[in-house]
Amino acid sequence: MVGVFGCVLKDGNAAPVIHEALKRLEHRGYDSVGAATIHEGVVYFKKDQGKIDDVYARYGLGSLPGRIGLGHLRWATHGAPLQVNAHPHLDCGDKVAVAQNGIIENYAEIRKELEEAGHVFKSKTDAEVVPHLIEQKIKKGVRFEDALRETLNRLEGSFSVGVMSVDDPKRIFFAQKENTLTIGVGEDAMYCSSDIPTFLPMTNEIVAVESGEVAILDHSKFEIRKFADWSEVSRKPKKIDWVPEIAEKEGYPHFMLKEIHVQPSTLKSTIRLQEEYLDLMTTFLDRAKELFLVACGTSYHACLAASYMFSKMASLSTHPVYASEFIEQVGKSVNIDSTILALSQSGETADTLAAVDYARNRAATILGLTNVVGSTLTRVSRAYIVQQAGPEIGVAATKTFTAQLSVLAQLALKLAEKRGKLSHVEMEHSKEKLKQIPEIAEKVIKTEESIVRSIAKKYRDRPYFIFLGRGISSAVAYEGRLKLMETNYLPSMADAAAEMDPGLISLMRPGSPVVFICPRDETRRNIVEDIKRAKGEGASIISIIEEGDEEIKALSDDYIQVVKELPEFLCPIQFIIPLQLFAYYMAVERGLDPDKPRHLTKAVTVK
Ligand code: AGP
């Protein structure tokens, strides 16, 4: 993941162009860098872990010869951030070079087959199967272009991949499936990349490569073909007027909005978690005599939601604890029978690591859930899962929260299956709904964004906000409050709704905005009463309801609708999205920059 770039030039060297292109993605975060070129029938390549400029200087990457080349920034998904796992990857004969973003789901079976046929793999990545599979087909007498076509048709998952071969040394091939790729049409040069900013200073004429298509480029022209039947697709370039800063955000004014909008696609990646990871993790969870869910901030809210999922679906009771309080609150009781599931998108939060360290010293079992392969949390965990959300730039966690929720939902479901806690019908229904989660997220964004924006406009001058929910939705209320507070510096409070009396009700005045999270689950009857109670105080009710919930609509001043009849364990994913949008649009309406909240950093790595 992160970025793939390639170019074919009429004159000059590709390597420095690749260097500059990768530098334009540098601020996103990555762990390794690599590039390959072809010159006089030889593939030249260098790669390593580390910063772009360091790796370039260390290996003289900028002086690789040749007019055609590929570059890659890696954010590890399979295999640790080590030199061998950096891209590009080559076949056994060093004739085919490949750089890839995304995930090839069926790589394990392809790799096994190729190893049995004698191929030697150097890395632990999914990407390395691509050059070897092409090589295997060429060995059997298939010409390179056909070998590539057959290979692309064999790959499952969501990926974009750049391929070059000494057998076709003047052209570069870029294909994508359920991912993103764009061609940049230059003067005497063609570019292709997962990210438009990589080539924007050279050209603003672009052509999108759609899912299931391959772009074939030489220095003067491009063609696009469907990889199913190699039929040609005609598509004309269009001009974009993005300045580099907007291009970096793919046309969105802020990273926060971009990251809210990419959630359907990150959820697609997270629900494709390999069974073996879920299986290993749930084996530990199943055995746990005592399970602590430990994290800070947004990740802690995911722990709260998980505590409901694990208990209700798999009869596993857990203790969600703030990492910062862990040692004081439960430290002395932790022992060899304790299991800690630590959540940290960065994998580097100081309080979370301190809690983990403390528990390890008391012989507890440590499990991790993080977004960063190779982070400290992955190194200290007995088993861990990477949530596959890709790097998050916005300080306010958005896509990494829904990714955490989706992994936790899968763990709860798997554990329920292992423990035989759900009927066959419930299990099948839950699995089906889990599959639909990306589309549901997309629908919520599409239909509700403008409504949320108008609600933000209406309430932008209110001095404080209250968020309430019951059951698993209390976790959504806490997270909605955190989003608003950190991006808007507005006093905001949240609680489990039953606690409002006595409590937050004392702050409700005529016109005080109170946000209620209202799924139609077992808590609904009570939440209706809570709303009436708040209404009695004159509060302005903003509710997040399931489509067509007329009763709550009638009680609300404003409402936002999400999809109806989603199983409870998946509800937080769709209910938090309008609250992320609300925090974002409130900040915009109030003239604040949601990407740069004051006094906050992305990861709190010091205590
Ligand atoms: C949430 O929007 C914040 N960025 C913050 O609360 C964050 O969730 C917290 O610092 C934990 O970070 P982690 O998941 O990287 O450990």
Side-chain angles (χ1 to χ4, degrees):
M1 264 187 211
V2 174
V4 58
F5 170 83
C7 60
V8 195
L9 314 178
K10 184 170 175 231
D11 301 304
N13 276 355
V17 176
I18 297 169
H19 186 183
E20 289 307 312
L22 296 182
K23 291 279 285 178
R24 291 181 200 109
L25 302 180
E26 183 158 36
H27 65 280
R28 290 194 190 174
Y30 60 96
D31 54 64
S32 318
V33 189
T37 57
I38 292 183
H39 182 60
E40 295 180 349
V42 177
V43 175
Y44 293 84
F45 74 104
K46 301 279 182 211
K47 57 184 189 174
D48 205 350
Q49 189 192 354
K51 294 279 156 217
I52 299 176
D53 285 346
D54 294 346
V55 174
Y56 261 74
R58 204 177 310 147
Y59 298 102
L61 245 177
S63 53
L64 295 182
R67 291 181 186 151
I68 179 167
L70 275 175
H72 190 265
L73 288 188
R74 177 171 190 251
W75 170 278
T77 57
H78 295 81
L82 301 172
Q83 186 185 28
V84 281
N85 292 329
H87 298 219
H89 293 284
L90 274 68
D91 60 326
C92 299
D94 285 353
K95 289 185 164 174
V96 181
V98 168
Q100 177 224 319
N101 272 353
I103 297 166
I104 297 171
E105 282 169 15
N106 57 340
Y107 80 100
E109 88 192 31
I110 300 175
R111 179 173 174 139
K112 186 162 174 273
E113 220 174 273
L114 290 166
E115 280 176 336
E116 280 163 13
H119 290 259
V120 178
F121 281 75
K122 297 192 175 94
S123 76
K124 295 253 187 286
T125 63
D126 49 348
E128 200 185 349
V129 298
V130 180
H132 288 281
L133 190 54
I134 295 172
E135 178 181 44
Q136 178 67 10
K137 290 178 187 294
I138 291 175
K139 252 194 212 163
K140 293 199 168 144
V142 179
R143 64 185 190 109
F144 167 69
E145 193 170 320
D146 292 327
L148 173 66
R149 176 176 53 77
E150 288 176 18
T151 297
L152 293 174
N153 283 304
R154 174 84 196 273
L155 305 179
E156 290 168 17
S158 156
F159 55 83
S160 51
V161 60
V163 183
M164 9 176 245
S165 165
V166 296
D167 289 337
D168 199 337
K170 295 199 169 140
R171 299 194 297 171
I172 195 162
F173 297 73
F174 270 88
Q176 72 106 331
K177 191 172 176 187
E178 295 181 30
N179 213 279
T180 47
L181 263 185
T182 313
I183 301 169
V185 181
E187 209 171 291
D188 293 331
M190 287 287 161
Y191 312 94
C192 194
S193 178
S194 48
D195 300 271
I196 295 172
T198 53
F199 56 67
L200 202 58
M202 281 88 82
T203 180
N204 65 349
E205 268 195 53
I206 64 157
V207 189
V209 182
E210 306 284 349
S211 181
E213 293 177 350
V214 56
I216 307 172
L217 319 174
D218 68 21
H219 72 79
S220 62
K221 62 180 184 311
F222 68 88
E223 59 186 69
I224 299 176
R225 295 185 177 274
K226 288 189 188 300
F227 48 81
D229 57 6
W230 225 240
S231 59
E232 197 165 349
V233 177
S234 153
R235 196 168 296 139
K236 290 208 162 51
K238 58 176 189 187
K239 278 203 163 65
I240 48 162
D241 54 5
W242 293 357
V243 294
E245 203 203 333
I246 290 287
E248 187 42 53
K249 296 169 192 149
E250 287 170 21
Y252 293 100
H254 297 98
F255 283 110
M256 183 176 175
L257 189 61
K258 174 182 164 189
E259 284 161 358
I260 292 171
H261 272 257
V262 297
Q263 288 178 111
S265 119
T266 50
L267 286 164
K268 242 183 223 165
S269 303
T270 58
I271 61 173
R272 285 190 161 119
L273 274 183
Q274 305 264 323
E275 275 297 304
E276 61 198 86
Y277 295 117
L278 293 173
D279 211 37
L280 175 65
M281 197 69 134
T282 45
T283 302
F284 281 111
L285 294 177
D286 191 27
R287 281 193 215 139
K289 293 208 172 96
E290 173 185 55
L291 179 62
F292 295 101
L293 306 174
V294 180
C296 297
T298 292
S299 295
Y300 173 74
H301 300 146
C303 291
L304 270 186
S307 66
Y308 291 86
M309 296 176 196
F310 288 145
S311 150
K312 292 184 113 170
M313 296 168 74
S315 303
L316 173 69
S317 64
T318 60
H319 312 281
V321 188
Y322 277 123
S324 55
E325 289 296 322
F326 179 80
I327 299 173
E328 282 299 316
Q329 195 177 343
V330 296
K332 291 280 181 283
S333 73
V334 170
N335 60 44
I336 195 165
D337 288 329
S338 311
T339 300
I340 314 301
L341 173 56
L343 266 64
S344 171
Q345 87 79 23
S346 62
E348 302 294 351
T349 295
D351 282 326
T352 309
L353 295 178
V356 162
D357 201 40
Y358 182 93
R360 270 176 95 207
N361 287 332
R362 295 181 74 92
T365 302
I366 309 298
L367 308 174
L369 171 56
T370 180
N371 195 32
V372 184
V373 179
S375 59
T376 307
L377 183 59
T378 62
R379 292 199 295 273
V380 296
S381 298
R382 180 96 180 268
Y384 65 86
I385 286 187
V386 179
Q387 61 193 63
Q388 311 288 7
E392 188 172 65
I393 311 283
V395 169
T398 51
K399 65 174 184 169
T400 54
F401 180 59
T402 48
Q404 284 169 333
L405 291 173
S406 121
V407 175
L408 293 162
Q410 290 172 78
L411 287 172
L413 199 57
K414 184 91 199 161
L415 190 60
E417 192 168 34
K418 263 193 182 150
R419 293 183 162 190
K421 296 289 179 189
L422 293 183
S423 69
H424 180 71
V425 175
E426 285 170 321
M427 187 56 78
E428 289 311 301
H429 178 69
S430 302
K431 285 184 180 168
E432 194 42 48
K433 289 292 178 186
L434 177 69
K435 270 198 220 144
Q436 292 170 11
I437 268 290
E439 294 159 41
I440 290 172
E442 190 158 9
K443 183 172 177 208
V444 171
I445 296 170
K446 237 188 211 147
T447 59
E448 301 309 297
E449 183 165 11
S450 59
I451 297 167
V452 176
R453 182 162 202 172
S454 62
I455 295 176
K457 210 181 196 105
K458 176 172 168 187
Y459 290 92
R460 68 184 168 198
D461 297 324
R462 303 292 164 98
Y464 63 91
F465 284 76
I466 294 172
F467 295 79
L468 297 168
R470 282 182 179 248
I472 198 166
S473 299
S474 58
V476 177
Y478 287 118
E479 176 60 8
R481 176 206 58 161
L482 176 59
K483 288 293 85 89
L484 184 69
M485 211 157 58
E486 68 180 332
T487 51
N488 282 271
Y489 329 125
L490 271 175
S492 314
M493 291 134 280
D495 218 336
E499 294 297 312
M500 77 173 176
D501 196 1
L504 290 176
I505 197 141
S506 61
L507 299 183
M508 293 179 197
R509 305 263 180 282
S512 315
V514 183
V515 180
F516 280 96
I517 326 298
C518 316
R520 273 197 169 113
D521 58 17
E522 288 157 6
T523 67
R524 186 169 176 286
R525 185 182 299 275
N526 288 325
I527 210 88
V528 169
E529 293 311 311
D530 300 330
I531 295 175
K532 287 181 182 162
R533 188 83 180 80
K535 223 176 147 52
E537 300 297 318
S540 298
I541 309 296
I542 305 169
S543 60
I544 322 238
I545 57 172
E546 292 188 12
E547 262 168 353
D549 189 334
E550 301 304 327
E551 186 183 9
I552 300 189
K553 256 189 213 174
L555 291 170
S556 306
D557 295 83
D558 293 278
Y559 60 86
I560 299 158
Q561 298 188 84
V562 296
V563 171
K564 63 181 174 192
E565 289 164 14
L566 198 60
E568 186 183 344
F569 78 115
L570 296 172
C571 274
I573 300 178
Q574 68 155 348
F575 276 84
I576 193 58
I577 293 174
L579 295 181
Q580 296 169 340
L581 286 167
F582 182 62
Y584 172 77
Y585 282 115
M586 280 287 286
V588 171
E589 288 296 333
R590 301 173 71 242
L592 301 168
D593 181 349
D595 281 344
K596 296 192 184 95
R598 63 182 190 221
H599 309 314
L600 296 179
T601 54
K602 185 71 187 147
V604 186
T605 53
V606 284
K607 274 168 73 71

